[in-house]
Coordinates of all heavy atoms in Angstrom, one line a residue:
M9 N 0.8 -1.2 0.0 CA 0.0 0.0 0.0 C 0.9 1.2 0.0 O 1.8 1.3 0.8 CB -0.9 0.0 1.2 CG -1.8 1.2 1.4 SD -2.5 1.2 3.0 CE -4.2 1.4 2.6
N10 N 0.6 2.2 -0.9 CA 1.3 3.4 -0.9 C 0.9 4.4 0.2 O -0.3 4.5 0.4 CB 1.1 4.1 -2.3 CG 1.7 3.3 -3.4 OD1 2.6 2.5 -3.2 ND2 1.2 3.5 -4.6
Q11 N 1.9 5.0 0.8 CA 1.6 6.0 1.8 C 1.9 7.4 1.3 O 2.8 7.6 0.5 CB 2.4 5.7 3.1 CG 1.9 4.6 3.9 CD 2.6 4.6 5.2 OE1 3.8 4.5 5.3 NE2 1.8 4.8 6.3
I12 N 1.0 8.3 1.7 CA 1.2 9.7 1.3 C 2.2 10.3 2.2 O 2.1 10.2 3.5 CB -0.1 10.5 1.3 CG1 -1.0 9.9 0.2 CG2 0.2 11.9 1.0 CD1 -2.4 10.5 0.3
V13 N 3.2 10.9 1.7 CA 4.2 11.6 2.5 C 3.9 13.1 2.4 O 4.0 13.7 1.3 CB 5.7 11.3 2.1 CG1 6.7 12.1 2.9 CG2 5.9 9.8 2.1
L14 N 3.6 13.7 3.5 CA 3.2 15.1 3.5 C 4.5 16.0 3.5 O 5.4 15.7 4.3 CB 2.4 15.5 4.8 CG 1.0 14.9 4.9 CD1 0.4 15.3 6.2 CD2 0.1 15.3 3.8
P15 N 4.5 17.0 2.7 CA 5.6 18.0 2.7 C 5.7 18.7 4.1 O 4.7 18.8 4.7 CB 5.3 19.0 1.6 CG 4.2 18.3 0.8 CD 3.5 17.4 1.7
T16 N 6.9 19.1 4.4 CA 7.1 19.7 5.7 C 6.2 21.0 5.9 O 5.6 21.2 6.9 CB 8.6 20.1 5.9 OG1 9.3 18.9 5.8 CG2 8.8 20.8 7.2
S17 N 6.1 21.7 4.8 CA 5.2 23.0 4.9 C 3.8 22.6 5.2 O 3.1 23.4 5.9 CB 5.3 23.7 3.6 OG 4.9 23.0 2.5
V18 N 3.3 21.5 4.6 CA 1.9 21.1 4.9 C 1.8 20.6 6.4 O 0.8 21.0 7.1 CB 1.5 20.0 3.9 CG1 0.1 19.4 4.3 CG2 1.4 20.5 2.5
K19 N 2.7 19.8 6.8 CA 2.7 19.4 8.2 C 2.7 20.6 9.2 O 2.0 20.6 10.2 CB 3.9 18.5 8.5 CG 3.9 17.2 7.9 CD 5.2 16.4 8.3 CE 5.3 15.1 7.6 NZ 6.5 14.4 7.9
N20 N 3.5 21.6 8.9 CA 3.6 22.8 9.7 C 2.3 23.5 9.7 O 1.8 24.0 10.8 CB 4.7 23.7 9.2 CG 6.1 23.1 9.4 OD1 6.3 22.2 10.2 ND2 7.1 23.7 8.8
Q21 N 1.7 23.7 8.6 CA 0.4 24.4 8.5 C -0.7 23.6 9.3 O -1.5 24.2 10.0 CB 0.0 24.7 7.1 CG -1.2 25.6 7.1 CD -1.5 26.1 5.7 OE1 -1.0 25.6 4.7 NE2 -2.4 27.1 5.6
L22 N -0.7 22.3 9.2 CA -1.7 21.5 9.9 C -1.5 21.6 11.4 O -2.4 21.6 12.2 CB -1.6 20.0 9.5 CG -2.2 19.7 8.1 CD1 -1.8 18.2 7.7 CD2 -3.7 19.9 8.1
E23 N -0.2 21.7 11.8 CA 0.1 21.9 13.3 C -0.4 23.2 13.8 O -1.0 23.3 14.8 CB 1.6 21.7 13.5 CG 2.1 20.3 13.4 CD 3.6 20.2 13.5 OE1 4.3 21.2 13.9 OE2 4.1 19.1 13.3
V24 N -0.2 24.3 12.9 CA -0.7 25.6 13.3 C -2.3 25.6 13.4 O -2.9 26.1 14.3 CB -0.2 26.7 12.3 CG1 -1.0 28.0 12.4 CG2 1.3 26.8 12.4
L25 N -2.9 24.9 12.4 CA -4.4 24.8 12.4 C -4.8 24.1 13.6 O -5.8 24.5 14.3 CB -4.8 24.1 11.1 CG -6.3 23.8 11.0 CD1 -7.1 25.1 11.0 CD2 -6.6 22.9 9.8
Q26 N -4.2 23.0 14.0 CA -4.6 22.2 15.1 C -4.4 23.0 16.4 O -5.3 23.0 17.2 CB -3.7 20.9 15.2 CG -4.0 20.0 16.4 CD -5.2 19.2 16.1 OE1 -5.6 19.0 15.0 NE2 -5.9 18.7 17.1
E27 N -3.3 23.7 16.5 CA -3.1 24.6 17.7 C -4.2 25.7 17.8 O -4.7 25.9 18.9 CB -1.7 25.1 17.7 CG -1.4 25.9 19.0 CD 0.0 26.5 19.0 OE1 0.9 25.9 18.2 OE2 0.3 27.5 19.7
L28 N -4.4 26.3 16.7 CA -5.4 27.4 16.7 C -6.8 26.8 17.2 O -7.4 27.4 18.0 CB -5.6 28.0 15.3 CG -6.7 29.0 15.2 CD1 -6.5 30.3 16.0 CD2 -6.9 29.3 13.7
C29 N -7.2 25.7 16.6 CA -8.5 25.2 16.9 C -8.6 24.8 18.4 O -9.7 24.9 19.0 CB -8.9 24.0 16.0 SG -9.2 24.5 14.3
E30 N -7.5 24.3 18.9 CA -7.5 23.8 20.3 C -7.4 25.0 21.3 O -8.1 24.9 22.3 CB -6.4 22.8 20.6 CG -6.7 21.5 19.9 CD -5.6 20.5 20.2 OE1 -4.6 20.8 20.9 OE2 -5.7 19.3 19.8
T31 N -6.6 26.0 21.0 CA -6.4 27.1 22.0 C -7.4 28.2 21.8 O -7.9 28.7 22.8 CB -5.0 27.6 21.9 OG1 -4.8 28.1 20.5 CG2 -4.0 26.6 22.2
E32 N -7.7 28.6 20.6 CA -8.6 29.7 20.4 C -10.0 29.4 20.1 O -10.9 30.2 20.1 CB -8.0 30.6 19.2 CG -6.7 31.2 19.5 CD -6.6 32.1 20.7 OE1 -7.6 32.8 21.0 OE2 -5.5 32.1 21.3
G33 N -10.3 28.1 19.8 CA -11.6 27.7 19.4 C -12.5 27.1 20.5 O -13.5 26.5 20.2
K34 N -12.1 27.4 21.7 CA -12.9 26.8 22.8 C -14.3 27.3 22.9 O -15.2 26.7 23.4 CB -12.2 27.1 24.2 CG -10.9 26.4 24.3 CD -10.1 26.7 25.5 CE -8.8 25.9 25.5 NZ -8.0 26.3 26.6
T35 N -14.6 28.5 22.3 CA -15.9 29.1 22.3 C -16.7 28.5 21.1 O -17.9 28.8 21.0 CB -15.9 30.6 22.2 OG1 -15.3 31.0 21.0 CG2 -15.2 31.2 23.4
G36 N -16.1 27.8 20.2 CA -16.7 27.4 19.0 C -16.5 28.3 17.8 O -17.0 28.0 16.7
R37 N -15.9 29.5 18.1 CA -15.7 30.5 17.0 C -14.2 30.9 17.1 O -13.6 30.9 18.1 CB -16.6 31.7 17.2 CG -18.1 31.3 17.1 CD -18.9 32.6 17.3 NE -18.7 33.3 18.5 CZ -19.3 33.0 19.7 NH1 -20.1 32.0 19.8 NH2 -19.1 33.7 20.7
L38 N -13.7 31.3 15.9 CA -12.4 31.9 15.8 C -12.4 33.3 15.4 O -13.3 33.8 14.7 CB -11.6 31.1 14.7 CG -11.4 29.6 14.9 CD1 -10.9 28.9 13.7 CD2 -10.5 29.4 16.1
K39 N -11.4 34.1 15.9 CA -11.4 35.5 15.6 C -10.8 35.7 14.2 O -10.0 35.0 13.7 CB -10.5 36.2 16.6 CG -11.1 36.2 18.0 CD -10.2 37.0 18.9 CE -10.8 36.9 20.3 NZ -9.9 37.6 21.3
L40 N -11.3 36.8 13.6 CA -10.9 37.2 12.2 C -9.3 37.2 12.1 O -8.8 36.7 11.2 CB -11.5 38.6 11.9 CG -10.9 39.2 10.6 CD1 -11.7 38.7 9.4 CD2 -11.0 40.7 10.7
E41 N -8.7 37.8 13.1 CA -7.2 38.0 13.0 C -6.5 36.6 13.0 O -5.5 36.5 12.3 CB -6.8 38.8 14.2 CG -7.3 40.2 14.3 CD -8.7 40.3 14.9 OE1 -9.2 39.4 15.5 OE2 -9.3 41.4 14.6
H42 N -7.0 35.7 13.8 CA -6.4 34.4 13.8 C -6.6 33.6 12.5 O -5.7 32.9 12.0 CB -6.9 33.6 15.0 CG -6.6 34.2 16.3 ND1 -7.5 34.2 17.4 CD2 -5.5 34.8 16.8 CE1 -7.0 34.8 18.4 NE2 -5.8 35.2 18.1
V43 N -7.8 33.7 12.0 CA -8.1 33.0 10.7 C -7.2 33.6 9.6 O -6.6 32.8 8.8 CB -9.6 33.1 10.4 CG1 -9.9 32.5 9.0 CG2 -10.4 32.3 11.4
A44 N -7.2 34.9 9.5 CA -6.3 35.5 8.5 C -4.9 35.1 8.6 O -4.2 34.9 7.6 CB -6.5 37.0 8.6
A45 N -4.4 35.0 9.9 CA -3.0 34.6 10.1 C -2.7 33.2 9.6 O -1.7 33.0 8.9 CB -2.6 34.8 11.6
V46 N -3.6 32.3 9.9 CA -3.5 30.9 9.4 C -3.5 30.8 7.9 O -2.8 30.1 7.3 CB -4.5 30.0 10.0 CG1 -4.6 28.6 9.3 CG2 -4.3 29.8 11.5
L47 N -4.4 31.6 7.3 CA -4.5 31.6 5.8 C -3.4 32.4 5.2 O -3.2 32.3 4.0 CB -5.9 32.3 5.4 CG -7.1 31.5 5.8 CD1 -8.4 32.3 5.4 CD2 -7.1 30.1 5.1
G48 N -2.7 33.3 5.9 CA -1.7 34.1 5.4 C -2.2 35.2 4.5 O -1.6 35.6 3.5
C49 N -3.4 35.7 4.9 CA -4.0 36.8 4.1 C -4.2 38.0 5.0 O -4.1 38.0 6.2 CB -5.3 36.3 3.5 SG -6.6 36.0 4.6
D50 N -4.4 39.1 4.3 CA -4.7 40.4 5.0 C -6.1 40.3 5.7 O -7.1 39.8 5.1 CB -4.7 41.5 3.9 CG -5.0 42.8 4.6 OD1 -4.1 43.4 5.3 OD2 -6.2 43.3 4.4
K51 N -6.2 40.7 6.9 CA -7.4 40.6 7.6 C -8.5 41.5 7.0 O -9.7 41.1 7.1 CB -7.3 40.9 9.1 CG -7.0 42.3 9.5 CD -6.8 42.4 11.0 CE -6.6 43.8 11.4 NZ -6.6 44.0 12.8
E52 N -8.2 42.6 6.5 CA -9.2 43.5 5.8 C -9.8 42.8 4.6 O -11.0 42.9 4.3 CB -8.7 44.9 5.6 CG -8.4 45.7 6.8 CD -9.6 45.7 7.8 OE1 -10.7 45.9 7.3 OE2 -9.4 45.5 9.0
W53 N -8.9 42.1 3.8 CA -9.4 41.4 2.7 C -10.4 40.3 3.1 O -11.4 40.1 2.5 CB -8.2 40.7 1.9 CG -8.6 39.9 0.8 CD1 -9.0 40.2 -0.5 CD2 -8.8 38.4 0.9 NE1 -9.3 39.1 -1.2 CE2 -9.3 38.0 -0.4 CE3 -8.7 37.5 1.9 CZ2 -9.5 36.7 -0.7 CZ3 -8.9 36.1 1.5 CH2 -9.4 35.8 0.3
L54 N -10.0 39.5 4.2 CA -10.9 38.5 4.7 C -12.2 39.0 5.2 O -13.3 38.5 4.9 CB -10.2 37.7 5.8 CG -11.0 36.5 6.4 CD1 -11.4 35.5 5.3 CD2 -10.2 35.9 7.5
R55 N -12.1 40.2 5.8 CA -13.4 40.8 6.3 C -14.3 41.2 5.1 O -15.5 40.9 5.2 CB -13.0 42.1 7.1 CG -14.2 42.7 7.8 CD -13.9 44.1 8.4 NE -12.6 44.1 9.1 CZ -12.4 43.8 10.4 NH1 -13.4 43.4 11.1 NH2 -11.2 44.0 10.9
T56 N -13.7 41.7 4.1 CA -14.5 42.1 2.9 C -15.1 40.9 2.2 O -16.3 40.9 1.9 CB -13.6 42.9 1.9 OG1 -13.1 44.1 2.6 CG2 -14.4 43.3 0.7
V57 N -14.3 39.9 2.1 CA -14.8 38.6 1.5 C -16.0 38.1 2.3 O -17.0 37.6 1.8 CB -13.7 37.6 1.4 CG1 -14.2 36.2 1.0 CG2 -12.6 38.0 0.3
T58 N -15.8 38.1 3.6 CA -16.9 37.6 4.5 C -18.1 38.5 4.4 O -19.2 37.9 4.3 CB -16.4 37.6 5.9 OG1 -15.2 36.8 6.0 CG2 -17.4 37.0 6.9
Y59 N -18.0 39.8 4.4 CA -19.1 40.7 4.3 C -19.9 40.5 3.0 O -21.1 40.6 2.9 CB -18.7 42.1 4.4 CG -18.3 42.6 5.8 CD1 -17.6 43.8 5.9 CD2 -18.7 41.9 6.9 CE1 -17.3 44.3 7.2 CE2 -18.3 42.4 8.2 CZ -17.6 43.6 8.3 OH -17.3 44.0 9.5
N60 N -19.1 40.1 1.9 CA -19.7 39.9 0.6 C -20.3 38.5 0.4 O -20.6 38.1 -0.7 CB -18.7 40.2 -0.5 CG -18.4 41.7 -0.6 OD1 -19.2 42.5 -0.2 ND2 -17.2 42.0 -1.0
N61 N -20.3 37.7 1.5 CA -20.8 36.3 1.5 C -20.0 35.4 0.5 O -20.6 34.6 -0.1 CB -22.3 36.3 1.1 CG -23.1 37.0 2.2 OD1 -22.9 36.7 3.4 ND2 -24.1 37.8 1.8
N62 N -18.7 35.7 0.4 CA -17.9 34.9 -0.5 C -16.9 34.0 0.3 O -15.9 33.5 -0.2 CB -17.1 35.7 -1.4 CG -18.0 36.3 -2.5 OD1 -18.9 35.7 -3.0 ND2 -17.9 37.6 -2.8
C63 N -17.1 33.9 1.6 CA -16.3 33.1 2.5 C -17.0 31.8 2.8 O -18.0 31.7 3.4 CB -16.0 33.8 3.8 SG -14.9 32.9 4.9
P64 N -16.4 30.6 2.3 CA -17.1 29.3 2.5 C -17.1 28.8 3.9 O -17.9 27.8 4.2 CB -16.3 28.4 1.6 CG -14.9 29.0 1.5 CD -15.1 30.5 1.6
F65 N -16.4 29.4 4.8 CA -16.4 28.9 6.2 C -16.8 29.9 7.3 O -16.7 29.6 8.5 CB -15.0 28.3 6.5 CG -13.9 29.3 6.2 CD1 -13.6 30.3 7.1 CD2 -13.2 29.2 5.0 CE1 -12.6 31.2 6.8 CE2 -12.2 30.1 4.7 CZ -11.9 31.1 5.6
G66 N -17.2 31.1 6.8 CA -17.6 32.1 7.8 C -18.7 33.0 7.3 O -19.1 32.9 6.1
F67 N -19.3 33.8 8.1 CA -20.3 34.7 7.7 C -20.3 36.0 8.5 O -19.6 36.0 9.6 CB -21.7 34.0 7.9 CG -22.0 33.5 9.3 CD1 -22.7 34.4 10.2 CD2 -21.6 32.3 9.7 CE1 -22.9 33.9 11.5 CE2 -21.9 31.8 11.0 CZ -22.6 32.7 11.9
G68 N -20.9 37.0 8.0 CA -20.9 38.3 8.7 C -21.6 39.3 7.8 O -21.9 39.1 6.7
S69 N -21.7 40.5 8.4 CA -22.4 41.6 7.7 C -22.0 42.9 8.3 O -21.7 43.0 9.5 CB -23.9 41.4 7.8 OG -24.5 42.5 7.1
N70 N -22.0 43.9 7.5 CA -21.8 45.3 8.0 C -22.9 46.2 7.5 O -22.8 47.4 7.5 CB -20.4 45.8 7.5 CG -20.4 46.0 6.0 OD1 -21.2 45.5 5.2 ND2 -19.4 46.7 5.5
K71 N -24.0 45.6 7.1 CA -25.2 46.3 6.6 C -26.1 46.7 7.8 O -26.5 45.9 8.6 CB -26.0 45.5 5.6 CG -25.2 45.2 4.4 CD -25.9 44.4 3.4 CE -24.9 44.3 2.2 NZ -25.3 43.3 1.2
N72 N -26.5 48.0 7.8 CA -27.4 48.6 8.7 C -27.0 48.4 10.2 O -27.8 48.3 11.1 CB -28.8 47.9 8.5 CG -29.4 48.2 7.2 OD1 -29.2 49.3 6.6 ND2 -30.0 47.2 6.6
V73 N -25.7 48.4 10.4 CA -25.1 48.3 11.7 C -24.0 49.3 11.8 O -23.4 49.7 10.9 CB -24.6 46.9 12.1 CG1 -25.7 45.9 12.2 CG2 -23.5 46.4 11.1
G74 N -23.8 49.8 13.1 CA -22.7 50.7 13.3 C -21.3 50.1 13.0 O -20.4 50.7 12.6
R75 N -21.2 48.9 13.4 CA -20.0 48.1 13.2 C -20.3 46.7 12.8 O -21.2 46.1 13.3 CB -19.3 48.1 14.6 CG -17.9 47.6 14.6 CD -17.3 47.7 15.9 NE -16.8 46.4 16.4 CZ -16.2 46.2 17.5 NH1 -16.1 47.2 18.4 NH2 -15.8 45.0 17.8
G76 N -19.6 46.2 11.8 CA -19.8 44.9 11.3 C -19.4 43.8 12.2 O -18.7 44.0 13.2
Y77 N -19.8 42.6 11.8 CA -19.4 41.4 12.6 C -19.1 40.3 11.7 O -19.8 40.0 10.7 CB -20.6 41.1 13.5 CG -20.3 39.8 14.4 CD1 -19.4 39.9 15.4 CD2 -20.8 38.6 14.0 CE1 -19.1 38.8 16.2 CE2 -20.5 37.5 14.8 CZ -19.7 37.5 15.9 OH -19.4 36.4 16.6
C78 N -18.0 39.5 12.0 CA -17.7 38.3 11.3 C -17.7 37.2 12.2 O -17.2 37.3 13.4 CB -16.3 38.5 10.6 SG -16.2 39.7 9.3
C79 N -18.1 36.0 11.8 CA -18.1 34.8 12.6 C -17.5 33.7 11.8 O -17.9 33.4 10.7 CB -19.5 34.5 13.0 SG -19.6 33.0 14.1
Y80 N -16.5 33.1 12.4 CA -15.8 31.9 11.8 C -15.9 30.7 12.8 O -15.1 30.5 13.7 CB -14.3 32.3 11.5 CG -14.2 33.5 10.7 CD1 -13.9 34.7 11.2 CD2 -14.4 33.4 9.3 CE1 -13.8 35.8 10.4 CE2 -14.3 34.5 8.5 CZ -14.0 35.7 9.1 OH -14.0 36.8 8.3
P81 N -17.0 29.9 12.6 CA -17.1 28.7 13.4 C -15.9 27.8 13.2 O -15.4 27.6 12.1 CB -18.4 28.1 13.0 CG -19.2 29.2 12.3 CD -18.1 30.1 11.7
V82 N -15.5 27.1 14.3 CA -14.3 26.3 14.2 C -14.5 25.1 13.3 O -13.6 24.8 12.4 CB -13.9 25.7 15.6 CG1 -12.8 24.7 15.6 CG2 -13.6 26.9 16.6
L83 N -15.6 24.4 13.4 CA -15.8 23.2 12.6 C -15.7 23.5 11.1 O -15.0 22.8 10.3 CB -17.0 22.4 13.0 CG -17.3 21.1 12.2 CD1 -16.1 20.1 12.4 CD2 -18.6 20.5 12.7
P84 N -16.5 24.4 10.5 CA -16.5 24.7 9.1 C -15.1 25.1 8.6 O -14.6 24.7 7.6 CB -17.5 25.8 8.9 CG -18.4 25.7 10.0 CD -17.6 25.2 11.2
F85 N -14.4 25.9 9.5 CA -13.0 26.4 9.1 C -12.1 25.2 9.0 O -11.3 25.0 8.1 CB -12.5 27.4 10.1 CG -11.1 27.9 9.7 CD1 -10.9 28.6 8.5 CD2 -10.1 27.7 10.6 CE1 -9.6 29.0 8.2 CE2 -8.8 28.2 10.3 CZ -8.6 28.8 9.1
Y86 N -12.1 24.3 10.0 CA -11.3 23.1 10.1 C -11.6 22.2 8.9 O -10.7 21.7 8.2 CB -11.5 22.4 11.4 CG -10.5 21.2 11.5 CD1 -9.3 21.4 12.0 CD2 -10.9 19.9 11.2 CE1 -8.4 20.3 12.2 CE2 -10.0 18.9 11.3 CZ -8.8 19.1 11.8 OH -7.9 18.0 11.9
M87 N -12.9 22.0 8.6 CA -13.2 21.1 7.5 C -12.8 21.7 6.2 O -12.4 21.0 5.3 CB -14.7 20.9 7.5 CG -15.2 20.1 8.7 SD -14.5 18.5 8.9 CE -15.5 17.6 7.8
F88 N -12.9 23.1 6.0 CA -12.5 23.7 4.8 C -11.0 23.5 4.6 O -10.5 23.2 3.5 CB -12.8 25.2 4.9 CG -12.3 26.0 3.7 CD1 -12.9 26.0 2.5 CD2 -11.1 26.7 3.8 CE1 -12.4 26.7 1.4 CE2 -10.6 27.4 2.7 CZ -11.3 27.4 1.5
M89 N -10.2 23.8 5.7 CA -8.8 23.7 5.6 C -8.3 22.3 5.3 O -7.3 22.1 4.6 CB -8.1 24.2 6.9 CG -8.3 25.7 7.0 SD -7.4 26.7 5.8 CE -5.7 26.4 6.2
T90 N -9.0 21.3 5.8 CA -8.5 19.9 5.7 C -9.3 19.2 4.6 O -9.0 18.0 4.3 CB -8.7 19.1 7.0 OG1 -10.1 19.1 7.4 CG2 -7.9 19.7 8.1
Q91 N -10.4 19.8 4.1 CA -11.3 19.2 3.1 C -11.9 17.9 3.6 O -12.1 17.0 2.9 CB -10.5 19.0 1.8 CG -10.1 20.3 1.1 CD -11.3 21.1 0.7 OE1 -12.0 20.8 -0.2 NE2 -11.5 22.3 1.3
G92 N -12.1 17.9 4.9 CA -12.7 16.8 5.6 C -11.8 15.5 5.7 O -12.2 14.5 6.1
F93 N -10.5 15.7 5.4 CA -9.6 14.6 5.5 C -9.6 14.1 6.9 O -9.4 14.8 7.8 CB -8.2 15.0 5.0 CG -7.2 13.8 5.0 CD1 -7.2 12.9 4.0 CD2 -6.3 13.7 6.1 CE1 -6.3 11.9 4.0 CE2 -5.4 12.6 6.1 CZ -5.4 11.7 5.0
G94 N -9.7 12.8 7.1 CA -9.7 12.2 8.4 C -11.1 11.9 8.9 O -11.4 11.2 9.8
F95 N -12.1 12.5 8.2 CA -13.5 12.3 8.5 C -14.2 11.5 7.4 O -15.2 10.9 7.5 CB -14.3 13.6 8.6 CG -13.9 14.4 9.9 CD1 -12.9 15.4 9.8 CD2 -14.4 14.1 11.1 CE1 -12.5 16.1 10.9 CE2 -14.1 14.7 12.2 CZ -13.1 15.7 12.2
A96 N -13.5 11.5 6.2 CA -14.1 10.8 5.0 C -14.0 9.3 5.3 O -13.0 8.8 5.9 CB -13.4 11.2 3.8
K97 N -15.0 8.6 4.8 CA -15.0 7.1 4.9 C -13.8 6.6 4.0 O -13.7 6.9 2.8 CB -16.3 6.6 4.4 CG -16.4 5.1 4.5 CD -17.8 4.6 4.1 CE -17.8 3.1 4.2 NZ -19.1 2.5 3.6
G98 N -13.0 5.8 4.6 CA -11.9 5.2 3.9 C -12.2 3.9 3.2 O -13.2 3.2 3.5
G99 N -11.5 3.6 2.2 CA -11.6 2.3 1.5 C -11.0 1.1 2.3 O -10.3 1.3 3.2
D100 N -11.3 0.0 1.8 CA -10.8 -1.2 2.5 C -9.3 -1.5 2.1 O -8.9 -1.3 1.0 CB -11.6 -2.4 2.1 CG -13.0 -2.3 2.8 OD1 -13.1 -1.7 3.8 OD2 -13.9 -3.0 2.2

């Protein structure tokens, strides 16, 4: 049976994701700043994407409110980042 060997960069990112979910995800939600850091993107870009309903793992709005809000639930973010690997039914 062939085994997949993960590149070091992928292992490192999975470790960062695991640590984030365990330490910051105790409430079931992650902060915008933390999600942006894991993704390696600008937090204002992520906020805009989220407000425009183009974020597959989070939601939020800045319409008709004094200050907008973004929510990034831990499970959808983790599943997005791993594409459900580890949860998918394996073959025999």
Side-chain angles (χ1 to χ4, degrees):
M9 177 192 232
N10 294 335
Q11 283 192 300
I12 296 174
V13 178
L14 295 176
T16 303
S17 60
V18 172
K19 287 181 189 177
N20 292 343
Q21 190 169 13
L22 285 172
E23 289 174 8
V24 169
L25 175 65
Q26 183 76 22
E27 183 177 339
L28 172 68
C29 291
E30 288 183 359
T31 60
E32 300 297 329
K34 293 178 182 171
T35 64
R37 295 182 306 273
L38 299 169
K39 293 181 180 179
L40 170 84
E41 296 81 18
H42 297 140
V43 173
V46 168
L47 293 174
C49 69
D50 180 73
K51 69 180 186 177
E52 292 307 316
W53 174 84
L54 181 58
R55 184 186 325 268
T56 300
V57 168
T58 304
Y59 286 165
N60 291 333
N61 296 317
N62 291 318
C63 181
F65 50 81
F67 57 91
S69 178
N70 65 345
K71 295 181 179 167
N72 300 321
V73 294
R75 187 174 126 182
Y77 178 76
C78 293
C79 180
Y80 303 100
V82 175
L83 183 59
F85 180 62
Y86 185 86
M87 296 299 279
F88 174 82
M89 292 295 289
T90 62
Q91 295 296 291
F93 184 78
F95 291 96
K97 183 179 177 185
D100 292 333

